[in-house]
Amino acid sequence: YDPITIQMQRLLLIILTAIFCSGPLNAQINTEQVTLMGRHALYFDDYLTAIRYFNKVIETKPYLDKPYYYRAYAKFNLEHFLGAEADCDLCLERNPYLTEVYQLRGLSRIHNKNLQGAIADYAKVLKDEPQEQNARYNRALCYLEEKQYADAEADIVQLLKVAPRHSKAFLVMAQLRFLQADTAGAVVWADSLLKLTDRDDAAWGLRGKLALATEQFEVADSCLSKAILIEPAYADHYMMRAQARHALNHFDNAIADYD
């Protein structure tokens, strides 16, 4: 996009916002035009302005479905997850066949700690789009968190059939093996992931954790050092490396990591 054109679009959006929000709008507003303006605001990540536009459309024509979805999207990006879920509910009451709304509500429900609700939403998405990778992966994470390990593994197996190099799927499979006390199997999956990419701090962190569990402290130190090099702001990497260094009697280095 031409930067000048984008700046002009932003200026036009600000002017239109001032016009539409300066006084009361009656039932004669052009809801299609106001919806379009709200979507332009979403494009520019101006979520509060977008919500004001969609509020006007909903006040005028509360029976429409999509304005609730667009407002839910804006609320989600403002981290108002309860409001986002509620708007998805309202949208689906008006039209229960919008797959993208179940996708958004699933994400909102994860943030709202309603994992079984999210699982139900992703089931609807996958019924319509069996190869949808995000829904498959997110549902596997929900199953993992709910300790439904067989269901989580089934989703990851399906995901890897569609996307054989999906790195996060390898990570989940390694975590599944570890949680089921199959450390050797977890190492196989973690090593396979590191063959795919050696720039994933989570993969190195998990490999270091597995080395700690098997008392391979030198290996743990090496893996966690690589994780820290990639992501120096993640505290768990330092904590685990400190444990490895303490076991190796490298006390000064362990204290430095704890600090």
Side-chain angles (χ1 to χ4, degrees):
Y1 291 100
D2 183 347
I4 297 176
T5 303
I6 292 177
Q7 289 178 3
M8 292 177 64
Q9 289 176 340
R10 284 183 179 275
L11 180 60
L12 177 60
L13 182 61
I14 291 169
I15 293 170
L16 290 173
T17 299
I19 292 171
F20 274 83
C21 296
S22 60
L25 297 181
N26 59 37
Q28 301 306 312
I29 68 168
N30 185 332
T31 53
E32 290 186 6
Q33 186 64 31
V34 177
T35 299
L36 182 60
M37 291 164 62
R39 295 185 68 182
H40 284 164
L42 289 180
Y43 175 80
F44 290 116
D45 300 334
D46 188 355
Y47 301 116
L48 290 175
T49 297
I51 287 171
R52 285 196 288 269
Y53 282 129
F54 298 132
N55 285 346
K56 293 298 182 182
V57 176
I58 289 168
E59 288 171 11
T60 304
K61 295 183 178 179
Y63 51 85
L64 295 177
D65 51 15
K66 281 297 183 71
Y68 293 99
Y69 168 65
Y70 297 137
R71 191 172 69 177
Y73 180 83
K75 289 179 179 180
F76 182 89
N77 281 280
L78 291 170
E79 299 186 4
H80 181 11
F81 302 121
L82 288 173
E85 182 177 346
D87 272 348
C88 288
D89 290 342
L90 292 168
C91 180
L92 292 169
E93 285 175 9
R94 288 153 179 79
N95 185 349
Y97 303 107
L98 297 172
T99 302
E100 65 271 25
V101 184
Y102 289 106
Q103 185 89 281
L104 179 59
R105 191 172 69 175
L107 281 174
S108 300
R109 285 177 163 178
I110 289 174
H111 285 282
N112 294 329
K113 310 300 183 186
N114 179 8
L115 297 183
Q116 290 299 326
I119 288 169
D121 279 339
Y122 290 128
K124 290 183 172 64
V125 175
L126 291 167
K127 182 179 179 181
D128 293 337
E129 301 177 24
Q131 295 190 331
E132 215 293 316
Q133 296 179 29
N134 288 330
R136 184 76 65 183
Y137 174 73
N138 288 339
R139 189 173 71 170
L141 290 182
C142 291
Y143 282 137
L144 183 67
E145 189 69 20
E146 293 285 86
K147 296 182 172 56
Q148 297 175 238
Y149 298 139
D151 292 322
E153 181 165 344
D155 266 345
I156 294 300
V157 168
Q158 285 298 116
L159 177 57
L160 287 171
K161 288 180 180 178
V162 176
R165 298 179 65 83
H166 195 295
S167 60
K168 291 182 179 179
F170 281 74
L171 193 62
V172 172
M173 194 65 88
Q175 291 171 329
L176 275 167
R177 291 288 180 266
F178 183 67
L179 289 169
Q180 296 175 91
D182 180 7
T183 305
V187 169
V188 170
W189 280 99
D191 287 344
S192 297
L193 171 57
L194 289 169
K195 289 178 183 177
L196 283 179
T197 173
D198 62 356
R199 297 298 300 168
D200 188 326
D201 75 289
W204 284 114
L206 178 60
R207 188 63 185 84
K209 182 178 181 178
L210 295 171
L212 271 178
T214 54
E215 299 185 352
Q216 297 174 292
F217 301 119
E218 293 281 3
V219 174
D221 189 333
S222 175
C223 291
L224 292 161
S225 294
K226 291 175 182 176
I228 289 167
L229 189 63
I230 298 167
E231 179 48 79
Y234 189 54
D236 283 6
H237 296 331
Y238 293 96
M239 182 184 71
M240 289 191 292
R241 189 173 70 173
Q243 293 170 357
R245 290 179 168 181
H246 186 274
L248 292 166
N249 297 326
H250 299 166
F251 300 120
D252 288 344
N253 289 335
I255 291 171
D257 274 347
Y258 281 128
D259 288 344

